[in-house]
Amino acid sequence: MLKAPQHQVAGHEAAGIGKLGPLVDESGHFYKPLQGDKRGSNEVAFYTSLSTNSEIPEHIQRFFPRFYGTQHIEASDGSGLRPHLVLEDLALGRANPSIMDIKIGSRTWAPESSEKYVEKCLKKDRESSSLPLGFRISGLQIYRSKELGFWKPGKKAAMKLSTEEVKLVLRRFISSNTLDDLDLKPDCAFASTVYGGSTGILSQLLELKAWFEDQTIYHLYSCSILVSFEKELALEGKDPGAQIKLIDFAHVYEGRGVIDHNFLGGLCSLIKFISEILTAPGECKIEVSAKADQKDLTHSANGVVADQKSLTDAVNGVVADQKNLAESDNGVVVDQKNITNSVNGIVADQKNLAESDNGVVVDQKNVTNSVNGVVADQKNLTDSVNGVS
Amino acid sequence: MLKAPQHQVAGHEAAGIGKLGPLVDESGHFYKPLQGDKRGSNEVAFYTSLSTNSEIPEHIQRFFPRFYGTQHIEASDGSGLRPHLVLEDLALGRANPSIMDIKIGSRTWAPESSEKYVEKCLKKDRESSSLPLGFRISGLQIYRSKELGFWKPGKKAAMKLSTEEVKLVLRRFISSNTLDDLDLKPDCAFASTVYGGSTGILSQLLELKAWFEDQTIYHLYSCSILVSFEKELALEGKDPGAQIKLIDFAHVYEGRGVIDHNFLGGLCSLIKFISEILTAPGECKIEVSAKADQKDLTHSANGVVADQKSLTDAVNGVVADQKNLAESDNGVVVDQKNITNSVNGIVADQKNLAESDNGVVVDQKNVTNSVNGVVADQKNLTDSVNGVS
């Protein structure tokens, strides 16, 4: 019985009805539909090359999903038989994994790419954190608790995090005290067991780095490192199964005698971020660079606004972690309490929402009105009009 | 007494009469004219910050030219007093240094740059080896002998070298057998004394790399590593004075908590090239990738050859855009027609040249003979021997 994977944080999801996306079976296979154009054949060629290339040492092979060839199966969108890559299901055996999908490299396009493709990618690289940071978080979910489920910010918001916000997210990822209240300063309780240690994330990243300093076989563009672990195991004092896996190889090129300096640079940048947490887990600046730590903010337009209290208006931007927001238009709004109005955007994880129009609203309690949008997982909803509830 | 530096391989040269460029005095100072726009003040700000920042360890400070402030001196172009950066003259005490100016980073522009500047730089990065290799050779001179002087290919040709050509140049740089005959496979005779050893180039590059993996103070765009040594000392079995220095800081930005992943990636790529020479000095592929579009080519060895017709012989150098070339040995030859012989030198833009040996020859018409000297801008020259004309 094939079904949509439960823990997809980025990429093409099959979760929506009638959408093409990956599928998993119960014996640990992950079926990824081949993209119709050159990307599909590129990815097959890469996995085939990787699995047969004796120059890739075993301790590096383990960072890639196992490859079981390709297979025609019924596509998730009901469009009939379609070729799929058959890969290892990386979430197999994981109950509630915390996951980050981190796209590596300040440049997601190859020198050989077409003008049109370069333009498209460059725009995204410049708008996201790829250019300044050398990587971007393409998606993430952090397990909080059975009651609260996952903290799963929107992909667009995740992509554009500033340096300080990325630092915050990387700390929140391995903290215990943000389970109930995202307002708290992350305690980095699992830093040493997840990021640190001889088998931890940092150690794995350093192994990968050593290989990238030397290998001239592949150049990986737009490829991600999937970082995951099980918070519940960490809480119980067990091995949390911290692991990194490389995924997404639709844009792999031959190295032709040159190292993948683009991937390596981004990887080193990520390593530096993780190292800093291990060196000084207590030194987390909560303030973010865009507009930070403001209290009693009256208006905020067109920008990232985070961690404020008593905001009156916020327009056209990402708004996060605030309390007592009066109005928010046209943007992503997450994790707030006591919001009065929110129009045309994604609103998530709030309590005591009075009104929400035209957008996706999830995980809230005590919503009074929600119009024209998707509303999910709520309690005590009074009105929901014209949408899926 | 100020004069133009003798061993400038890239950047703005003052060699031409009436051109603005750097000057040197006899006590080891290098005067670099401040660029009028923001670049000038940026570079002063960088040197000031660097020389006063106690976070930069001494073993890293030594990779930068010493800074002696700024000073108003008579500009080289005769335009009067002008502010100059006063720096350490890196060529002081060097008789015949072999030098490479290697611009580091696949991207020479900062995320903060203006649209227009990004476009300009991106074009150059894509046309040069910066994008594929993570660095480009902005200029070089390799000392051959007292008789032959330096091998100094054109900057434009150097910038665009392919992977295999860069490998060849990096080997030629530390070889002894290319003194007389650039046609020979480089013997890499000085690889271990110049690139290798505890104080050699590779060791210095690795020290720099370790710092770049950690430092988040500066992001250096369009900055070069100047690699130099004295071949004559190496031949005598003495310490060849192999050194790297970072130069050109008109495009330095604050790191703001992020490592310079762009510089680091390019640096690691260069390190890999140098390491390979030390690991396998004998494995130099002579065939080069860029040989394109020529018709009726009889011989062409070891160099870049492009767009010509009816070429008979072209050896060991960059040869471009000519027609009806009979012979061209060991040098850069561009844009001429009906040339009969050209040996060992730079020959450019002439027509109907009969012979030109061992020197720089530019912009003339109907030259019959030119031996051992610089010849410029004349018409109908019959003989010019051993001198400047």
Side-chain angles (χ1 to χ4, degrees), chain A residues 106-107 109 111 115 118 122 126 131-134 163 209 213-214 216 256 258-259 261 264-265 268-269 272, chain B residues 106-107 109 111 115 118 122 126 131-134 163 209 213-214 216 256 258-259 261 264-265 268-269 272:
Chain A
S106 68
R107 175 162 49 89
W109 49 277
E115 207 54 49
V118 169
L122 186 59
R126 294 182 73 183
L131 206 57
L133 268 55
T163 306
K209 174 184 169 235
E213 285 174 345
D214 190 54
T216 60
R256 283 180 286 182
V258 183
I259 63 163
H261 45 86
L264 178 58
C268 289
S269 178
K272 171 68 176 173
Chain B
S106 68
R107 176 163 48 89
W109 50 276
E115 207 54 48
V118 169
L122 186 58
R126 294 182 73 182
L131 206 56
L133 268 54
T163 306
K209 173 183 170 236
E213 284 174 345
D214 190 54
T216 60
R256 282 180 287 182
V258 182
I259 64 164
H261 45 86
L264 179 58
C268 289
S269 178
K272 171 69 176 173

Side-chain angles (χ1 to χ4, degrees), chain B residues 54-70:
Chain B
S54 59
E55 280 182 57
I56 323 284
E58 259 179 56
H59 74 279
I60 295 301
Q61 288 275 8
R62 76 188 169 107
F63 292 134
F64 295 86
R66 269 188 296 274
F67 173 58
Y68 304 105
T70 59

Side-chain angles (χ1 to χ4, degrees), chain A residues 19-266:
Chain A
K19 279 182 112 181
L20 183 64
L23 295 165
V24 291
D25 65 17
E26 278 147 20
S27 56
H29 297 116
F30 181 93
Y31 299 85
K32 181 176 178 178
L34 280 193
Q35 288 164 297
D37 51 19
K38 225 173 55 178
R39 290 175 295 172
S41 52
N42 272 355
E43 191 153 24
V44 174
F46 171 75
Y47 273 111
T48 307
S49 158
L50 182 82
S51 59
T52 55
N53 192 330
S54 59
E55 280 182 56
I56 322 285
E58 259 180 56
H59 74 279
I60 295 301
Q61 288 274 8
R62 76 189 169 107
F63 292 133
F64 295 86
R66 269 188 296 275
F67 174 57
Y68 304 105
T70 59
Q71 198 177 315
H72 277 75
I73 60 163
E74 288 288 339
S76 66
D77 61 354
S79 62
L81 281 178
R82 199 189 165 100
H84 286 65
L85 277 165
V86 189
L87 302 168
E88 173 189 7
D89 179 6
L90 301 175
L92 185 75
R94 302 222 166 204
N96 294 300
S98 290
I99 304 175
M100 284 187 294
D101 179 307
I102 307 177
K103 199 183 280 268
I104 304 293
S106 68
R107 175 162 49 89
T108 56
W109 49 277
E112 299 91 332
S113 304
S114 74
E115 207 54 49
K116 201 178 150 192
Y117 186 74
V118 169
E119 203 178 302
K120 184 184 135 191
C121 291
L122 186 59
K123 187 168 181 290
K124 223 167 176 177
D125 296 345
R126 294 182 73 183
E127 287 170 357
S128 72
S129 70
S130 292
L131 206 57
L133 268 55
F135 61 86
R136 65 182 180 237
I137 299 181
S138 291
L140 80 154
Q141 64 175 30
I142 304 181
Y143 186 64
R144 300 169 75 193
S145 66
K146 270 190 186 118
E147 294 70 37
L148 296 171
F150 290 92
W151 182 64
K152 195 170 178 175
K155 288 180 209 171
K156 286 205 174 165
M159 258 175 57
K160 297 186 183 188
L161 296 175
S162 70
T163 306
E164 290 307 323
E165 286 162 349
V166 164
K167 286 185 181 177
L168 187 64
V169 164
L170 291 176
R171 282 166 195 267
R172 189 172 278 172
F173 190 67
I174 42 79
S175 288
S176 71
N177 64 338
T178 51
L179 295 181
D180 299 307
D181 191 351
L182 285 167
D183 202 16
L184 287 176
K185 182 171 167 171
D187 61 10
C188 296
F190 312 124
S192 60
T193 45
V194 175
Y195 289 157
S198 63
T199 60
I201 298 298
L202 180 62
S203 170
Q204 294 177 50
L205 291 173
L206 289 171
E207 266 189 82
L208 197 61
K209 174 184 169 235
W211 185 60
F212 270 93
E213 285 174 345
D214 190 54
Q215 73 89 10
T216 60
I217 309 168
Y218 305 118
H219 283 195
L220 312 179
Y221 295 102
S222 212
C223 161
S224 286
I225 294 181
L226 206 67
V227 181
S228 68
F229 78 102
E230 288 258 33
K231 191 174 275 178
E232 283 167 315
L233 293 177
L235 277 169
E236 293 165 16
K238 295 179 184 162
D239 177 358
Q243 72 170 20
I244 62 166
K245 293 277 182 181
L246 288 165
I247 57 166
D248 294 341
F249 307 104
H251 304 282
V252 174
Y253 287 74
E254 281 181 25
R256 283 180 286 182
V258 183
I259 63 163
D260 189 350
H261 45 86
N262 176 61
F263 189 99
L264 178 58

Side-chain angles (χ1 to χ4, degrees), chain B residues 328-382:
Chain B
S328 167
D329 290 16
N330 298 323
V332 179
V333 180
V334 287
D335 289 311
Q336 73 283 53
K337 299 181 182 177
N338 306 316
I339 190 165
T340 309
N341 290 296
S342 166
V343 185
N344 297 322
I346 297 172
V347 180
D349 288 316
Q350 73 282 55
K351 299 182 182 176
N352 307 315
L353 178 67
E355 298 191 355
S356 167
D357 291 14
N358 297 322
V360 179
V361 180
V362 287
D363 288 310
Q364 73 282 54
K365 299 182 182 176
N366 307 315
V367 179
T368 309
N369 291 296
S370 167
V371 185
N372 296 321
V374 179
V375 180
D377 288 309
Q378 73 282 57
K379 298 182 182 178
N380 307 316
L381 179 67
T382 309

